[in-house]
Amino acid sequence: MNVIDSKPYEMLIDGRWQAGREGLVFDTLNPSTAKLLAQVHQADAADVDAAVQAAHSAFENGWGRTTPAERGRLLRRLAVLFERDREKLAWIETLNVGKPITHSLESLKTMPSSLEYFAGMIPAVRGETIAVGNSDVLNYTIREPLGVCALIMPWNYPMTLTINKLGPALAAGNTIVLKPSEVTPLSTLALARLFEEAGFPPGVVNVVNGPGATVGEQLVTHPLVSRVSFTGGSVTGARILASTANDLKRVTLELGGKSPLIVFDDAALDKAVAVAAGDIIKNSGQVCIACTRILVQETILDDFLERLQRRLRAVRVGTPEATDTDMGPLVSAEQKQRVEHYIRLATEEGAKPVSFGDVVLDDNTAPGFFMPPTLLLRSSAQMQSAQDEIFGPVQSVISFKDEDDALGIANHSRYGLAAVVFTRDGGLALRMARGLQSGSVAINTGVRTSFDAPFGGYKLSGIGKERGLEAIYENTQLKNIKYDMSV
């Protein structure tokens, strides 16, 4: 399927597709072949300002006062168009990110439902009447949109995360300037073409391209931007928070993770193994919520590892276009080098790296950024390889003695995005869920985000919530109003 444009991809500013004012372009690669996939026009400071000004004008001149019914109608129309183009968008994401086409199609399957959900939740965004001490005063609250929202996307799930940021921001009545990752911008740019067809007014959604260090920084510090939502690494997230401090912008940060999968000796082992294997395989382990620390009770460690290793040996690593591929490449040479560095580091720390899977490459894919799934056996909680987010197909395997030991190891982390517990003991499961310092906990199943449930982390894993009704609230300002009825 020919889904990639031969001409450089432009930016969307005030309803018009255009090149950057300086005429700069950058390359985006196919990670399977390490070859040029497309070129993309890059924004400069003037382009960023134009996009923000367009969003601000659209908000002030109508969009900020649109009715809930009108916003809902447009989001539902966008959902219909997304479903129409879903296969094309999935192929673009596969070619640009490197995930198998079967995975891309699956991950985009719920996106129309996500848009419909946020459209349907708009009437639920309401204030309340509060009985205050003075009976002559009517006290009530309303929720208002914030204005221009800057949405800064990561490279690992560009389409899914774009929809899950766009949906609640538009539902709340905000306008948007979106910056896709410069590594994987193509599916987001293809999505943006649907907004005009859906009927969104010019300026409501704008897209600027380029590096975070320049374009992203110019966007988050722009005085007309009221809210910044960022998904990515914790170091960048902290930098964004510092950059927005002077004018106290509203900020939502969905950051890194080093999630534990905790397996007790009464667990359904095959199910736990399936979750562990899925997390190392899915998107080549480039998933913030993936369980990359496997904590197994010492009495069942050998049995668990035998089952997990058997599962990983059957993994097929190869071209993402093939329907029998389980795992594609990493997204870039830089990311591959990062993963290789941590495997070497783990060896120096005393862990034992063991790689698995059947890597099937040809002359076209041989230069690509492929790596097999790798377990770091004999790991400990103190190792740097078990503390840092590697963001690749690597898992540290750590044994524990009992409940207290498991909880201590799991919480010995700068991150707190997600956690998984496998046990048939209901009391133990609930004690672990309460004790784990994590924004999401799954019991006897894997952590899978859902558009209708809140998601966000503890500690260095972020600030605020995305998805669910809470995501719409994150995009609003709560105003309290008092009316003296005695006058």
Side-chain angles (χ1 to χ4, degrees), residues 83-266:
E83 180 59 37
R84 183 197 68 189
D85 290 357
R86 181 166 64 90
E87 184 176 359
K88 176 184 176 180
L89 295 169
W91 274 106
I92 295 172
E93 190 143 306
T94 283
L95 293 171
N96 203 184
V97 181
K99 64 184 71 171
I101 183 58
T102 51
H103 294 193
S104 293
L105 287 168
E106 182 66 25
S107 69
L108 299 191
K109 184 184 296 183
T110 61
M111 291 304 97
S113 297
S114 175
L115 292 166
E116 290 169 354
Y117 168 81
F118 287 116
M121 291 303 293
I122 294 174
V125 181
R126 61 188 68 174
E128 60 179 342
T129 304
I130 302 171
V132 294
N134 187 341
S135 60
D136 289 331
V137 171
L138 173 65
N139 193 109
Y140 64 98
T141 63
I142 59 175
R143 287 193 174 270
E144 298 178 330
L146 294 167
V148 180
C149 294
L151 310 182
I152 303 178
M153 310 310 304
W155 47 257
N156 60 333
Y157 280 92
M159 182 63 61
T160 305
L161 296 174
T162 296
I163 289 293
N164 280 309
K165 288 183 187 293
L166 278 169
L170 292 172
N174 299 295
T175 55
I176 289 167
V177 180
L178 173 67
K179 192 199 87 65
S181 166
E182 66 273 21
V183 181
T184 59
L186 301 187
S187 59
T188 301
L189 290 167
L191 169 68
R193 294 172 178 170
L194 301 180
F195 282 94
E196 182 179 8
E197 188 176 354
F200 285 88
V204 171
V205 177
N206 307 271
V207 185
V208 291
N209 306 316
T214 54
V215 176
E217 179 70 12
Q218 292 156 3
L219 187 55
V220 302
T221 57
H222 198 289
L224 291 180
V225 169
S226 299
R227 177 176 183 268
V228 176
S229 178
F230 168 76
T231 296
S234 299
V235 172
T236 305
R239 190 179 303 126
I240 287 173
L241 194 61
S243 296
T244 59
N246 286 339
D247 47 6
L248 298 178
K249 298 183 194 299
R250 294 279 289 274
V251 178
T252 300
L253 302 173
E254 183 190 333
L255 305 178
K258 194 71 175 179
S259 301
L261 189 156
I262 306 165
V263 186
F264 286 94
D265 58 10
D266 65 339

